[in-house]
Structures are given as C-alpha cells and as structure tokens.
Amino acid sequence: MLAEPFNWHPGMWKMLIVVMCVALLGCLQAQELQEHVSIILLGATGDLAKKYLWQGLFQLYLDEAGRGHSFSFHGAALTAPKQGQELMAKTLESLSCPKDMAPSHCAEEKDQFLQLSRYRQLKTAEDYQALNKDIEAQLQHAGLREAGRIFYFSVPPFAYADIARNINSSCRPGPGAWLRVVLEKPFGHDHFSAQQLATELGSFFQEEEMYRVDHYLGKQAVAQILPFRDQNRKALDSLWNRHHVERVEIIMKETVDAEGRTSFYEEYGVIRDVLQNHLTEVLTLVAMELPLNVSSAEAVLRHKLQVFQALRGLQRGSAIVGQYQSYSEQVRRELQKPDSFHSLTPTFAAVLVHIDNLRWEGVPFILMSGKALDERVGYARILFKNQACCVQSEKHWAAAQSQCLPRQLIFHIGHGDLGSPAVLVSRNLFRPSLPSSWKEMEGPPGLRLFGSPLSDYYAYSPVQERDAHSVLLSHIFHGRKDSFITTENLLASWGFWTPLLESLAHKAPRLYPGGAENGRLLDFEFSSGRLFFSQQQPEQLVPGPGPAPMPSDFQVLRAKYRESPLVSAWSEELISKLANDIEATAVRAVRRFGQFHLALSGGSSPVALFQQLATAHYGFPWAHTHLWLVDERCVPLSDPESNFQGLQAHLLQHVRVPYYNIHPMPVHLQQRLCAEEDQGAQIYAREISALVANSSFDLVLLGMGADGHTASLFPQSPTGLDGEQLVVLTTSPSQPHRRMSLSLPLINRAKKVAVLVMGRMKREITALVSRVGYEPKKWPISGVLPHSGQLVWYMDYDAFLA
Ligand code: BG6
C-alpha cells in the first residue's frame, strides 16, 4: 500500500508538472506585480505628444496599472520647468477615458495618472544624472523593484545623438531591469544617412533596446494582417499566390496638404514620408511567407527581410510623381524662397513593385499615396483573379456563391466611406475567422466599396477602436519587437528605395489642382514593369513662364552626323523611333533569311529601348530572333553588373525568344572569369561564325561613352580595334575592368549598325566626335564604319543640341 504513491500513472506525473508550472508562473507573475516602470517622454510638450502620446500613456496606465504594475511618467523637454509644467498640465487635462468607463471612475483614474506624471527640464548632462538619481530614490523610498525604463524620443532626429549619449552614460537602469528607447521617423533620408544614424545609435544602444516606430504597424487593420492570414490559413493557402492574385494595391490617400510643414516636406516628399515606411511595411506583411508561429518576433522579422531580398529593383519608369499646384507657392512663403523657385518635391507618387519569388512573380503590387487628393482613406486590397465563367444570367448570381462576382480581400486601414478600420472579404471567397476583438459590422445602407455593395462582403471591425500609438505603446511595454523596425529592416527598405529616389531627383512632377478637381489627371496605368499617367499633361499646368515644350512639339529631326544618317528627337520619341526601325529590320530579315541576328549593348541607355521593345512591339518576330551580346563585363551572368542581367531584366523575361537563340558571352568558364586560357573570346567567335552567315549581324546596337569608347573597346585598347580577331578581351578604365567585346572588324561586317547616344553627359563627346576623322585609337567610336552595311546615329536632343 505504501508503495502506491510511487506507482503513479505517467499521465498523473504530467498533471503534477503542469500544476507546479502554473503555480510557478503564478509566483513569477506575482513577483512581476511588484515591478516598477519609469516612462520618460522626451518632447513632452510637442505636437505628437499632445495629440497621441499622452493619451496612449494614459491608456497604458489604465490597462496595466489595473494588473498591478506601478508606473511613473516623466514628461521632459528643453522648456524651462514652470512653462513646461503648464503646457503639460493643459494636455493632461484633456485626456479622455474609454467610452464605457463611468465618469466618476474616469475622474479617479485621471487624478491618479496626474499624480504619477511630472514635468522636468532635460537639457544638460547634469539634468540626466539628476533624473537617474530621482528614479533610484523613488524606487528605494517606495521599496519597488525596477522592471525597466522606457525613453520615448518624440524629438527631431538631430537631437537623437545628444540624448542617446546622456541616457547611455547616466540613465541606464541597474542589472536585471531593461532599457527601451523608442524612436520616431524620419530614420534618415536615404540609405547612406540611415546607415550613419543607425551606426551612431548603435554605439549607445543594443539592437534589442531600440524600438523604431512606424505607426502604421499599430493601426488595427495592419496589425491584423498576419493574425488574419494565420487564422485563415486553410482558406488562404491555395489562394495567396501568383496563380490567384491579380494585383495588390496598397494605398494611402490624404486630403490635407503640406502647408505648415514644408520645411520638413520639402526635404522628404511623399516617397520618403509614406512609401518608404508605412506602405512598404504593409507590403511586407501581405507578401511575406507566413511563419509557422506568427507571434515569434524573430520569425516575422526574418520573413520580412526575405521579402526585401526578393524585391525587383525599381527603375525610373516604375514610378509616376505629382505635386499639388499650390505647393511651390507654400514653400516659397514658408521657406522664404525667391519668386522664381519651383520645387520638384513630389506630393503624390504611385510605384509599381514586383517581387521576384515563386509566390509573387508577375503580380503587380501598386503603392500609392498623395496629399491634396479627393478623399482620406488607407487600405491594402488584394484582388483575386476571376477565372470562372457563369452560365446562368446575372440575375441568378448569388453574392455568396457566384464565382463571377469580384473576389477581393481588403484590410481597410481607416477613414474613407466606411470611416473605420475593417477587414472585408468577398462572400464568394470564404467566410473568414477573426478574433473576438473583432465583430461583424454593418455599414450605412447602400454603401458600395471597391465596386461591390457592402453586403457582398463579410465585413468586420474592431470591437474597440484604438489609436495606433496607444497600440504600439502597449507593444513596447510588453517587449513585442515584431511591431517595430529593426536596423536591418530599415536599411533593407532604404536600399530598395534609394536608387529610385536618386533617379527621380530631377524629374518634374505632374502638377494637379488638388481635391475633387484632380478629375482623372492622376489616373495611371501599368504594363510590363512601367507605370504611366493615363492622360497627357495639359499644358496650362506646366510651371514656369509660358508652357514648356512637349516632345510632340518637335519633329523628329533627320540630318547627317559624321556623314551618316542621324535621327534626333526627345528621348521618348527617339526610343520609339529606334524600336520601330529595329522591328522593321527584323521583319525584313526574317522574311528574307528566316532569322534575324541582333547584337545588343549593355549599360543604361538601351534600358528604355528594351522596355519599349518588350511592351509595345507585338509584331516583333522574337521566335526567329537570335540575341547576341556586343560586350560583357567579366562577372558571373547572374551579377547585377552583367550586361546579360540587364537584358534579362528588361527584355528577355517579357518576350518569348527560344532559349537556344540566346547567346550570352562566355565570360565565366571553369569557375573563373575571362581567363585567357579558357579561350572564351574564341569560343564566342566560333559560335558567331557557325550561326551568323559571313559573321555579318543583321543589326548591331552600339552606344558611345563619354571618352569615345564603344562596345568595350576603349581608347588605346591594344586589342579589338583592328586585326583578325572577332571577339577580344579588353580592359576598361572603370570597374569591373576586365571585359569581353566584339571587335571593330566584326562590328564593321554588320549589315546595319545603330549608335544610340542619350543624355547631357554625352554633349561634349558628341560635339568632339562630330569633328574628328578616323582615329579609333583615340576614339574607338570613330572606327565604326560598316564595310557594306549602313550606319545610323540615334541621338536625343539632350546629347545633340550642344
Ligand atoms: C505620417 C506622415 O507618418 O503619416 C504624414 O509624416 C501623414 O505626412 C501621416 O499625414 C498619415 O498618418 P495617418 O495616421 O493620419 O494615416
């Protein structure tokens, strides 16, 4: 009998362990109850603090003090104590309680909160030391154990470094307690400045101590994206991919303009202000591979980074930009600029993003935001493809069943006709499951959203609406790092946006009147990786004295350059002319010989041409076209620097050329790059001789470098300018130095050679080369003289009108 307790069934042991764990947890929680948190709000009298942060802190107090935590709130600023105290008191007076709280209870809570809140001036190193002493004295006096300290930086970024240094040197809590510093954007202006700021902050704080706020991550509909995807895995698993998603729109429209904020806005503009952060964060939540455990911050952040890695680089043509008409005038007034000043800062932008992974390849993600638009609304809309055909007439379609009605899922961030955060799922998709903190909602009768009546959706809204900052303050308190921007995340985002920002730096935005008057002026379309406005810019909206000339105002100029035909026009028109000429040549060659051999240069000038050929030339005989490279850099073909990569990104992936007709240069053999012994140049020459009759290409497209180089034949090149060799290895003055190139003798065998020259940077060389004779050693381009073929120069006005 005595032995019985030791013969417990294994299940009973398990139960005992569970009971002990629960008890232990209880003890730990009880211990946590004694812990104290100090919250220091820097910039306590500023706008953000007034509008959101104090209210958020009060909410935190209501939520957590009830659970036994003790708090002290230190409002801090540079303002002198008396004045600061008064300003802060005014804000605290206006704090509100949740709607369902009795007024007497509310007054009591507010009173207690006020007693825990103090203003202090934080200016000098001594002020920070005094703050530390006060916190320690308070803890000791009340016999409290310190849980941690939160420093909320609601200050401009130029103040970060000083504050960070002071906190690090005199305000760190003792061992066992945590430090959390909360930072508000902007986190830099581009990749470089973000990196600098991150390095600076990194010298004071550990990564886990920093909480960079993107307040969109605290918006209820945004915070619901991952939990929703998780809870509805079963229904979404088969739908959440390129086979079923037609496109994704991530939109934030505003009616307000930038008046009163132009000193900030003029430096940032809409892409830095909204797209780089808020909309990109939403994009990653929609696009990321769903972690098994969506509450694991580590997994969420890792999956987010994978999205950044798969983003296709943006080109200038991936974006359109606009500016509301009175913006420049506001800048002139607020920043005391002269009357002649016209800002190029965009206040509206739409960008087409592609994600090159198996799930999303080919699905357009459209990010769009603007000030002075017709309505205020934000949402992420996933529009599904409709591949069904319904046989019965429309009147028999039932919303819940008909596969022919639109199918969409919308995370409605706020405002708009709905007026609140919501999740909408078309009834013909599936009935979603949401947590109990969301309830089914009804909208005003007759309301239509995204082309369907509200009744066609399962529609849910939060039981209790909460402000984003208050949600995030709670996440900071609970150490939920997945709602914040890590350094890696931040730099990945800037890495993605910076090249586009640079390429748009001098682009004149389309002007729009603002509000409802915008009409269709900002409507845009997209195809094959490019976005464009649907309508031509009306002339009266062009800034400056008198209307600016449009490309169509100019005739395509035909003349001679170096005694060969010259085609000259504004760049857009020039490219379309060249593309038409290439297509015509291709069609003729295929008609006569059954195939067309085209040799293409790399670099930036032909990118627009490739895009034009890919998007607007449906009659191009790609199936009979052989594509050759004029030159190549000695890097692996998968390297972004490789000319072949440019061809792949802008042309090959959009057209159907048979694989065996594509002839990259063999720069990578035997696991090494352009080694003489591997005879890559000879291999390519043999391939050309074998496939191209008389080694005479039907068309060779060349460019002209600012030093007079063409293909990868540089001034004074010891090879390739004459002699027997068809393909040569050469050396470039700029990196990567090693190159492979067609030789001048081979180029000159072509039936047609087109030289494309674009941009102001080419003005000098264009003028110079027009005067020189045949001197390929000095200017290799001057050696381009097809023996029996034709040479045509294509120059845009920027390059030619010197
Ligand atoms: C801020 C931008 O981050 O977000 C503002 O700086 C913008 O320009 C604001 O107006 C929009 O936020 P919300 O919460 O009003 O949608």
Side-chain angles (χ1 to χ4, degrees), residues 142-216:
L144 295 165
R145 222 173 74 83
E146 181 164 36
R149 298 178 189 183
I150 296 174
F151 284 84
Y152 202 117
F153 286 43
S154 177
V155 295
F158 64 78
Y160 280 11
D162 256 1
I163 298 176
R165 187 172 307 107
N166 281 317
I167 294 174
N168 183 41
S169 54
S170 43
C171 290
R172 283 188 164 276
W178 43 254
L179 170 70
R180 293 180 188 150
V181 292
V182 188
L183 306 160
E184 282 279 347
K185 81 181 176 75
F187 308 122
H189 184 263
D190 54 16
H191 186 264
F192 178 73
S193 53
Q195 171 86 67
Q196 270 187 325
L197 183 62
T199 309
E200 190 163 39
L201 288 169
S203 65
F204 302 117
F205 305 123
Q206 309 280 334
E207 180 68 34
E208 66 267 21
E209 292 174 334
M210 286 187 277
Y211 287 68
R212 284 191 193 84
V213 169
D214 182 315
H215 79 283
Y216 264 60

Side-chain angles (χ1 to χ4, degrees), residues 52 184-185 214-216 219 252-254 256-258 261 264-265 270 272-274 277-278 369 371 376-378 413 415 467-469:
Y52 302 110
E184 282 279 347
K185 81 181 176 75
D214 182 315
H215 79 283
Y216 264 60
K219 301 255 179 194
M252 196 252 253
K253 290 171 67 179
E254 297 188 277
V256 291
D257 62 20
R261 286 178 83 201
F264 160 81
Y265 208 83
V270 66
R272 292 183 172 89
D273 188 35
V274 172
N277 37 67
H278 306 326
S369 183
K371 301 258 181 219
R376 181 180 185 191
V377 69
I413 300 170
H415 308 287
D467 165 68
H469 278 95

Side-chain angles (χ1 to χ4, degrees), residues 18 149 184 193 214 257 259 279 355 367 369 421 507 524 551 571 579 651 675 687 696 706 790 800-801:
V18 170
R149 298 178 189 183
E184 282 279 347
S193 53
D214 182 315
D257 62 20
E259 190 165 21
L279 301 195
I355 304 176
L367 274 53
S369 183
K507 189 176 163 103
F524 57 91
S571 58
L651 183 65
E687 198 175 339
S696 168
Q790 190 197 20
F800 180 64
L801 293 182

